[in-house]
Amino acid sequence: MSKNRLEAFSDGVIAIIITIMVLEMKPPHSDSLAALKPVIPVFFSYILSFIYIAIYWNNHHHMLSAVQHVNGVILWANLHLLFWLSLFPFVTAWSGENNFSAVPIALYGVVLFMAGTAYYLLTHALIRHHGHDSPLAKAIGTDVKGKVSLVLYGSAIPLAFVNRWIAFSLYCLVALMWIIPDRRIEKTVTN
Amino acid sequence: MSKNRLEAFSDGVIAIIITIMVLEMKPPHSDSLAALKPVIPVFFSYILSFIYIAIYWNNHHHMLSAVQHVNGVILWANLHLLFWLSLFPFVTAWSGENNFSAVPIALYGVVLFMAGTAYYLLTHALIRHHGHDSPLAKAIGTDVKGKVSLVLYGSAIPLAFVNRWIAFSLYCLVALMWIIPDRRIEKTVTN
Amino acid sequence: MSKNRLEAFSDGVIAIIITIMVLEMKPPHSDSLAALKPVIPVFFSYILSFIYIAIYWNNHHHMLSAVQHVNGVILWANLHLLFWLSLFPFVTAWSGENNFSAVPIALYGVVLFMAGTAYYLLTHALIRHHGHDSPLAKAIGTDVKGKVSLVLYGSAIPLAFVNRWIAFSLYCLVALMWIIPDRRIEKTVTN
Amino acid sequence: MSKNRLEAFSDGVIAIIITIMVLEMKPPHSDSLAALKPVIPVFFSYILSFIYIAIYWNNHHHMLSAVQHVNGVILWANLHLLFWLSLFPFVTAWSGENNFSAVPIALYGVVLFMAGTAYYLLTHALIRHHGHDSPLAKAIGTDVKGKVSLVLYGSAIPLAFVNRWIAFSLYCLVALMWIIPDRRIEKTVTN
């Protein structure tokens, strides 16, 4: 089984997820500016999810470029990641339509946490297969950002019930952490 | 007509099927945890279908990697398989929304049975074209797992009317049979 | 501009069209076998459209394999074809949901006719660009089947108002004409 | 990070956007010709958006063919463009369903303006990375058409509140400007 297949299939699924999410943003029936008001939170949750899926696509590709061969465990670890990513349209719509109220925004966090965990499991399946001295293992490194993200998602879930905006801000913070150019941050954090 | 075209088109269709299925999982209107309750069976039927489509993608690619050339019969046998796979979103939604009640879960079994049959017809079109001594024919072998799957799907359809969970369990059993690493099982079954 | 781009983009769009059509087949709310009854005509119109899109994909690829270079006119002729193909999900749903009644089935014919015309325009843009002595021009030949199809679609549109099944049968006839292996028919027709 | 990845992902997303837009054109419940009447404006807004997305796909590919390498800024500039393109299905549906009334058609213009701006930012990120003497910078040139388009979109937004058809006509005009073969126009404009 070749790595290219895995890459092309993952790219296809991620491109579809990022695009069909917009179908959850239903155009209002009336044509006034006021009719757009309930769409605004859906729009913001769409932006956030678009950024997250884009980050996953970016990191996934970056990691796979160092991969040399895949096995059955890696294949299923990758499908497991795609499964959690595929739930983004659902939680995006539910959070947005309910103006980020506690339960939906907490569930959004659960999906973020599970996708993050699935990514972590995938990196470890890849490292186990390529060896701890492989260029891949070095490229992944200690993965401080990945672990910090999991802690922040995990904290945001209960905090959503205290105040929805704490959870929302934490999700934005993690996204920002990944958008800002990697190398500098990684240097700062690991030094 | 090249094999690559067939492979790329099939990969595209399978990637779309596995992803649009999630659109059938409609976010509830209310924002309470209780509102998620009717979504739970849809979620489980989504998981099952996701795994099935993933297994088909995996096996399809595995088989095509041994294929050298295709003809018109193979092309249509492959489209016939894609047709039945494309019905997964429909039966997934219907089964899930009705908590796996008898008729929907039996229809799910019909689609599984037809997809399995279509896969069987595709393997035979490929073997006929490549010869019974080809590496492809050897790679497919006696295909015990494929035949056992068809028998289990065929049994599950009437059993759905006795108890829905018998049918559901049989579908899970077949999926598990395919996820567990191939070689070992095949050795056990064929010895 | 390379031919590969055009091919990959067309393949992507066609794969998406053939797959999202199934979203128009809505699962019934009730879980009885009787509840499936209104879905049956939608299912049949889905089968017909699936076959048509598959035929277009097949012929499109066959033709492009003989193409060497493309220009702006070819690009837009191809997009024009994709536009009419993209209307299949709409007419499939409308025809199926209304049990192939006169107006919807006539509109289905209009889309078939326009897609056929767009395909004809694309072949001519390609021949003009490659020359009438090119292998491409020879591969396309007199295109009797294409012209007969247009006549049959054109006849089916008014005949839909006499009896819906005449139109439906004509559409099935044209589809059959394209599925049956090309060479033999072409020999019979052109001799 | 390779350019091919960026190209393949963008192509995938654009192919999906252009195709799922048709899902916003809902088939009417009744089967009469009159029932199609409210669909007509949606059909015209679909045609316009189809042409716009096709133009973006075309220009995007044309530009990327001269690109040699990409960096993080280019990656995010490209995702920013895809984000605004992904909003086409929403504004297409809203404009069409409301027969191009003022607010929806103005919002359509906002999305056109933002997509145009995102494209402009992408070209500048590319030029900055490749140098002002690169073949890419020469291929892009002064980009008069791009700037004129932005001015026309920007004018159409307030004019939509004077008369919806002024805005609609301006959008059609810009689309026409891009469809008509590039070289001749560019020569005329830059000379």
Side-chain angles (χ1 to χ4, degrees):
Chain A
M1 191 195 313
S2 88
K3 157 195 141 176
N4 293 351
R5 266 177 70 171
L6 193 80
E7 217 168 356
F9 187 74
S10 308
D11 267 20
V13 169
I14 293 174
I16 302 162
I17 292 171
I18 212 171
T19 321
I20 61 170
M21 261 185 330
V22 86
L23 293 177
E24 305 284 6
M25 203 163 85
K26 314 269 188 243
H29 290 297
S30 151
D31 68 348
S32 67
L33 202 58
L36 273 187
K37 226 184 130 189
V39 181
I40 292 168
V42 184
F43 182 58
F44 280 105
S45 83
Y46 176 60
I47 295 176
L48 186 62
S49 296
F50 190 96
I51 292 171
Y52 264 112
I53 300 288
I55 290 167
Y56 270 104
W57 169 68
N58 192 7
N59 291 348
H60 189 266
H61 246 301
H62 191 66
M63 183 166 68
L64 278 185
S65 68
V67 164
Q68 279 148 356
H69 25 80
V70 294
N71 60 12
V73 173
I74 291 167
L75 177 89
W76 283 102
N78 188 62
L79 285 163
H80 180 235
L81 171 63
L82 294 179
F83 174 78
W84 290 105
L85 295 182
S86 81
L87 296 179
F88 268 83
F90 179 83
V91 289
T92 303
W94 202 36
S95 299
E97 282 164 23
N98 290 289
N99 197 18
F100 307 108
S101 68
V103 181
I105 200 75
L107 193 70
Y108 193 107
V110 170
V111 168
L112 282 175
F113 184 84
M114 292 309 294
T117 306
Y119 195 82
Y120 177 84
L121 293 173
L122 176 59
T123 57
H124 279 255
L126 284 165
I127 290 174
R128 227 175 303 134
H129 192 57
H130 287 75
H132 285 277
D133 304 324
S134 62
L136 177 81
K138 277 166 202 158
I140 294 171
T142 50
D143 191 22
V144 178
K145 254 210 252 186
K147 285 167 193 160
V148 169
S149 304
L150 286 181
V151 171
L152 291 175
Y153 299 146
S155 319
I157 298 166
L159 288 171
F161 295 93
V162 178
N163 185 320
R164 59 180 86 174
W165 301 113
I166 301 176
F168 188 75
S169 307
L170 283 172
Y171 304 156
C172 294
L173 181 74
V174 176
L176 267 174
M177 201 170 89
W178 286 98
I179 294 176
I180 293 166
D182 277 355
R183 280 160 230 152
R184 240 174 284 175
I185 273 210
E186 265 171 15
K187 274 186 195 150
T188 322
V189 174
T190 45
N191 286 345
Chain B
M1 190 196 314
S2 88
K3 158 195 139 175
N4 293 350
R5 266 178 68 174
L6 193 80
E7 216 168 355
F9 187 75
S10 307
D11 267 19
V13 170
I14 294 175
I16 302 161
I17 293 171
I18 213 171
T19 320
I20 60 170
M21 263 186 327
V22 86
L23 293 177
E24 305 285 5
M25 203 162 85
K26 314 269 188 244
H29 290 296
S30 151
D31 68 348
S32 67
L33 203 58
L36 273 187
K37 227 185 131 191
V39 181
I40 292 168
V42 185
F43 182 58
F44 280 106
S45 83
Y46 175 60
I47 295 176
L48 186 62
S49 296
F50 190 96
I51 292 171
Y52 264 112
I53 300 288
I55 291 167
Y56 269 104
W57 169 68
N58 192 8
N59 291 347
H60 188 267
H61 245 301
H62 190 67
M63 184 166 67
L64 279 185
S65 67
V67 164
Q68 278 147 357
H69 26 79
V70 294
N71 61 11
V73 173
I74 290 167
L75 178 88
W76 283 103
N78 189 62
L79 284 163
H80 179 236
L81 171 62
L82 293 180
F83 174 77
W84 289 105
L85 295 183
S86 80
L87 296 178
F88 268 84
F90 179 83
V91 290
T92 303
W94 203 36
S95 299
E97 282 164 23
N98 291 289
N99 196 19
F100 307 109
S101 67
V103 182
I105 199 75
L107 193 72
Y108 194 108
V110 170
V111 169
L112 282 175
F113 184 84
M114 293 309 295
T117 305
Y119 194 82
Y120 177 85
L121 293 173
L122 176 60
T123 57
H124 279 255
L126 284 165
I127 290 175
R128 228 175 301 136
H129 192 56
H130 286 76
H132 285 277
D133 304 323
S134 61
L136 178 81
K138 276 167 201 157
I140 294 170
T142 51
D143 191 23
V144 177
K145 256 210 251 185
K147 286 168 191 159
V148 169
S149 303
L150 286 181
V151 170
L152 291 176
Y153 299 146
S155 319
I157 298 166
L159 287 171
F161 295 93
V162 178
N163 186 320
R164 60 180 84 176
W165 301 113
I166 301 176
F168 188 76
S169 307
L170 283 172
Y171 304 156
C172 294
L173 181 74
V174 175
L176 267 175
M177 203 170 88
W178 286 99
I179 293 176
I180 293 166
D182 276 354
R183 280 160 229 152
R184 238 173 286 174
I185 272 211
E186 265 171 16
K187 275 186 193 151
T188 322
V189 174
T190 45
N191 286 344
Chain C
M1 191 196 311
S2 88
K3 158 195 138 176
N4 292 351
R5 256 179 78 172
L6 193 80
E7 216 169 356
F9 187 74
S10 308
D11 266 21
V13 170
I14 294 175
I16 301 161
I17 293 171
I18 213 172
T19 319
I20 60 170
M21 264 187 325
V22 86
L23 292 177
E24 305 285 5
M25 203 163 85
K26 313 269 189 245
H29 290 297
S30 151
D31 68 348
S32 68
L33 203 57
L36 274 186
K37 228 185 130 189
V39 180
I40 292 169
V42 185
F43 182 58
F44 280 105
S45 83
Y46 175 60
I47 294 176
L48 187 63
S49 297
F50 190 97
I51 292 171
Y52 263 112
I53 300 288
I55 291 167
Y56 269 104
W57 169 67
N58 192 8
N59 291 349
H60 189 267
H61 245 300
H62 191 66
M63 184 166 68
L64 279 185
S65 68
V67 164
Q68 278 146 357
H69 26 80
V70 294
N71 60 11
V73 174
I74 291 168
L75 178 89
W76 283 103
N78 188 62
L79 284 163
H80 179 235
L81 171 62
L82 293 180
F83 174 77
W84 290 106
L85 294 183
S86 82
L87 295 178
F88 268 84
F90 179 83
V91 290
T92 303
W94 203 36
S95 300
E97 280 163 24
N98 291 288
N99 197 18
F100 306 107
S101 67
V103 182
I105 199 75
L107 193 71
Y108 193 108
V110 171
V111 169
L112 282 175
F113 184 84
M114 292 309 295
T117 305
Y119 194 83
Y120 177 85
L121 293 173
L122 176 59
T123 57
H124 279 255
L126 284 165
I127 290 174
R128 227 175 303 136
H129 192 56
H130 287 75
H132 285 277
D133 303 323
S134 61
L136 178 81
K138 276 167 201 157
I140 293 169
T142 50
D143 190 22
V144 178
K145 254 209 250 187
K147 286 167 193 160
V148 169
S149 303
L150 285 181
V151 171
L152 291 176
Y153 299 146
S155 320
I157 297 166
L159 287 171
F161 295 93
V162 178
N163 185 320
R164 61 180 85 175
W165 301 113
I166 300 176
F168 187 75
S169 307
L170 283 172
Y171 304 155
C172 293
L173 182 73
V174 175
L176 267 173
M177 203 171 89
W178 286 98
I179 294 176
I180 293 166
D182 276 354
R183 281 159 230 152
R184 239 173 286 174
I185 273 210
E186 265 172 15
K187 275 187 194 152
T188 322
V189 173
T190 46
N191 286 345
Chain D
M1 191 196 311
S2 88
K3 156 194 141 177
N4 293 350
R5 265 177 70 170
L6 193 80
E7 216 169 357
F9 188 74
S10 308
D11 267 20
V13 169
I14 293 175
I16 301 162
I17 292 171
I18 212 171
T19 320
I20 61 169
M21 263 186 326
V22 86
L23 293 177
E24 305 285 5
M25 203 162 85
K26 314 269 187 243
H29 289 297
S30 151
D31 68 349
S32 68
L33 203 56
L36 273 187
K37 228 185 129 188
V39 180
I40 292 169
V42 185
F43 182 59
F44 280 105
S45 83
Y46 176 60
I47 294 176
L48 186 63
S49 296
F50 190 96
I51 291 171
Y52 263 112
I53 300 286
I55 290 167
Y56 270 104
W57 169 68
N58 192 8
N59 291 349
H60 189 267
H61 246 300
H62 191 66
M63 184 167 67
L64 278 185
S65 67
V67 165
Q68 278 147 357
H69 26 80
V70 294
N71 61 12
V73 173
I74 291 168
L75 178 89
W76 283 102
N78 189 63
L79 285 163
H80 179 235
L81 172 62
L82 294 179
F83 175 77
W84 289 105
L85 295 183
S86 81
L87 295 179
F88 268 83
F90 179 84
V91 289
T92 304
W94 202 37
S95 299
E97 281 164 23
N98 291 290
N99 196 19
F100 307 108
S101 67
V103 182
I105 199 76
L107 193 71
Y108 193 107
V110 171
V111 169
L112 282 175
F113 184 84
M114 292 309 295
T117 306
Y119 194 82
Y120 178 84
L121 293 173
L122 176 59
T123 57
H124 280 255
L126 284 165
I127 290 174
R128 227 174 304 135
H129 192 56
H130 287 75
H132 285 277
D133 303 324
S134 61
L136 178 81
K138 277 166 201 159
I140 293 170
T142 51
D143 192 22
V144 177
K145 253 208 252 186
K147 286 167 192 158
V148 169
S149 304
L150 286 181
V151 171
L152 292 176
Y153 299 146
S155 321
I157 297 166
L159 288 171
F161 296 93
V162 178
N163 185 320
R164 60 181 86 175
W165 301 114
I166 301 176
F168 188 76
S169 307
L170 283 172
Y171 304 156
C172 294
L173 182 73
V174 176
L176 267 173
M177 203 171 88
W178 286 98
I179 293 176
I180 292 166
D182 276 355
R183 280 160 230 152
R184 239 174 285 175
I185 275 209
E186 264 170 16
K187 274 186 195 152
T188 322
V189 173
T190 48
N191 285 346

